[in-house]
Amino acid sequence: LFRSRVYPGERAELFKRAGLQAGDLVVEVNGQPLASETGAAQFAQTLSSSPISTLRVERGGRLEELRVDVARLMAPGAE
């Protein structure tokens, strides 16, 4: 099982509104485990192709599930 730790980068507000926190460890996207080092690319592609995504993240030693309305986050003027 591959896990991808995420950080906000240049779009910190968007990152925060998605419910992510710096250092979250993404383990699943829409119920699919991130299976390899291509997980980050898979993560980005899945988010961009689905209007609503569910992320399972490890945060502070606990698993949490985040529901992300990608369409709303990516709408013009949303940031």
Side-chain angles (χ1 to χ4, degrees):
L1 180 65
F2 179 80
R3 295 174 177 210
S4 182
R5 196 169 299 277
V6 294
Y7 295 93
E10 295 178 6
R11 303 186 79 182
E13 183 58 33
L14 185 66
F15 186 89
K16 181 179 174 183
R17 287 196 349 245
L20 293 164
Q21 295 179 10
D24 280 352
L25 202 56
V26 178
V27 297
E28 288 181 7
V29 179
N30 292 337
Q32 298 298 311
L34 299 183
S36 68
E37 290 187 23
T38 60
Q42 172 191 355
F43 170 72
Q45 178 154 2
T46 300
L47 286 181
S48 66
S49 66
S50 178
I52 297 179
S53 290
T54 302
L55 306 179
R56 181 171 286 249
V57 301
E58 184 179 307
R59 178 184 294 160
R62 294 184 15 214
L63 287 177
E64 296 192 25
E65 196 166 280
L66 305 175
R67 182 179 156 106
V68 180
D69 185 339
V70 179
R72 183 180 59 81
L73 285 176
M74 301 310 286
E79 194 165 359

